[in-house]
Amino acid sequence: IQMGGRVAWAKGFGMADRERGIAASTDTSFHLASLTKPIAAVILLQLFESGILDLDAPITQFGISVENGDNIRVRHLLTHTSEGDPGEFFQYNGDRYSWLGQVIQFASGRPFCDLLEERLINKFGLIDTAPNPELPTGQNCVLDDSNLRELFISNMAQGYHPDGETALNEMLHFSPAAGLLSSALDMTQFLIRLDRDQLLRPETRQLMFTQVRTRSGQPLPYGLGWFIDTGFEFKVQWHYGLWNAHSSLILRIPDRQLAFVVLANTNRLNPNIRADGNIRHSEVAMAFINAFVLGDAVLPESYLD
């Protein structure tokens, strides 16, 4: 839990690796799955801020060949509104979001992974954050060093199926849509740096957290890389990740200076989640909101395990 620009409470629960007898901790690295998307959005918006990327450029300009591509803009990929009549319909699509890697490569001349390493991981010392280290050597720009890879792998949470069986690591790809690993503390640092305007200018951050609208003005449930829920008296900015034996959740409540990060090595963190922007489908998110926003729960004095 982040409150007022600091880590207010953090704790690991259960086992990161049952077979090795390793307990989960606040710096255990978990598969983020689709929580990669908000991080990728920041990197892409940094290119927008620098003037080398136009969010309204057609995606064909970046070598992406798809039906109706001349009418699909970069912002349509960022907002999951590239299908049908571009900009008019929200359809969550991780495959299309992954095309932003090609946008980043063409605009900057460098792969997404290089920029991620330079502008986030190394700059802020996020040592528990990297693309999947079990990708073939040479495809993982952060962990090509074999010693570093082995060290990182030893800190990774092993995934488990609902029946308790050990899951294979099947997320053998990395793109702006998925494939990044991180810890609860690293993700909290990401949010803190975002709040301190160390990642984006305030006006760009506001743009990222603004609901996209159709031409007729109808609000859709996504901003630039984030779900936006306006069904409360306060705005909730959030995202989830879900893949095989891993799940994750992140949310910000800027009016209360609160943020919440949960990472799990099962797929049961978000059993009822839907890609429709309604955070009420997440029991974990609602437990936090009911306790710390709508209720009067108080954080314990000892906030780090």
Side-chain angles (χ1 to χ4, degrees):
I1 299 175
Q2 174 202 336
M3 179 182 294
R6 68 181 181 91
V7 179
W9 183 79
K11 187 173 179 61
F13 295 91
M15 303 300 294
D17 192 313
R18 186 182 58 207
E19 289 74 21
R20 291 190 292 157
I22 300 175
S25 72
T26 56
D27 58 7
T28 299
S29 297
F30 291 82
H31 280 279
L32 297 182
S34 284
L35 279 200
T36 305
K37 291 181 175 71
I39 296 172
V42 166
I43 300 298
L44 192 137
L45 287 172
Q46 288 177 346
L47 300 181
F48 163 72
E49 283 188 339
S50 68
I52 66 173
L53 176 62
D54 180 1
L55 296 182
D56 290 313
I59 63 173
T60 51
Q61 182 176 314
F62 306 95
I64 300 171
S65 179
V66 64
E67 184 179 355
N68 202 29
D70 287 335
N71 294 318
I72 299 173
R73 308 300 191 228
V74 173
R75 70 171 66 246
H76 295 147
L77 296 183
L78 262 175
T79 57
H80 298 283
T81 59
S82 69
E83 297 180 73
D85 185 0
E88 291 297 291
F89 304 99
F90 174 80
Q91 179 65 51
Y92 189 83
N93 189 321
D95 289 340
R96 288 191 168 217
Y97 199 97
S98 70
W99 296 347
L100 291 170
Q102 195 163 331
V103 173
I104 291 170
Q105 174 82 52
F106 268 66
S108 69
R110 300 172 63 191
F112 166 53
C113 191
D114 279 3
L115 298 183
L116 176 70
E117 181 178 14
E118 175 188 290
R119 300 181 177 206
L120 188 65
I121 294 174
N122 288 348
K123 185 174 183 178
F124 299 110
L126 305 184
I127 61 173
D128 304 322
T129 303
N132 187 352
E134 296 181 338
L135 288 169
T137 301
Q139 295 184 31
N140 196 322
C141 65
V142 178
L143 295 174
D144 277 344
D145 180 276
S146 59
N147 292 327
L148 188 59
R149 290 176 74 239
E150 290 305 315
L151 182 63
F152 192 92
I153 288 171
S154 70
N155 186 53
M156 285 169 52
Q158 169 63 52
Y160 295 97
H161 294 297
D163 61 5
E165 289 296 313
T166 302
L168 297 175
N169 182 4
E170 297 176 348
M171 192 177 289
L172 296 178
H173 68 278
F174 174 68
S175 77
L180 192 66
L181 288 95
S182 190
S183 66
L185 285 183
D186 273 8
M187 287 300 293
T188 305
Q189 281 300 313
F190 166 71
L191 293 174
I192 289 172
R193 303 296 177 175
L194 191 59
D195 286 342
R196 292 177 179 173
D197 303 328
Q198 293 176 307
L199 298 177
L200 296 171
R201 294 196 292 260
E203 61 270 24
T204 309
R205 185 183 63 198
Q206 182 178 356
L207 176 66
M208 182 171 66
F209 289 127
T210 299
Q211 282 179 293
V212 64
R213 291 179 179 270
T214 65
R215 287 189 290 272
S216 64
Q218 177 185 355
L220 299 175
Y222 213 76
L224 302 180
W226 290 75
F227 286 102
I228 312 295
D229 191 315
T230 58
F232 301 92
E233 293 181 356
F234 45 86
K235 183 179 290 187
V236 180
Q237 303 155 346
W238 69 284
H239 216 287
Y240 74 95
L242 181 62
W243 179 269
N244 194 9
H246 302 276
S247 48
S248 54
L249 177 71
I250 188 172
L251 64 88
R252 299 176 76 250
I253 303 176
D255 293 346
R256 310 298 173 88
Q257 295 187 325
L258 277 173
F260 184 46
V261 176
V262 191
L263 309 177
N265 53 344
T266 77
N267 62 7
R268 301 184 69 183
L269 178 60
N270 305 311
N272 300 312
I273 206 74
R274 301 176 190 172
D276 61 1
N278 187 346
I279 202 168
R280 291 164 188 78
H281 296 309
S282 170
E283 295 178 3
V284 173
M286 288 309 302
F288 173 79
I289 290 172
N290 287 331
F292 293 99
V293 185
L294 300 176
D296 55 3
V298 178
L299 292 168
E301 292 184 6
S302 178
Y303 64 89
L304 286 175
D305 67 358

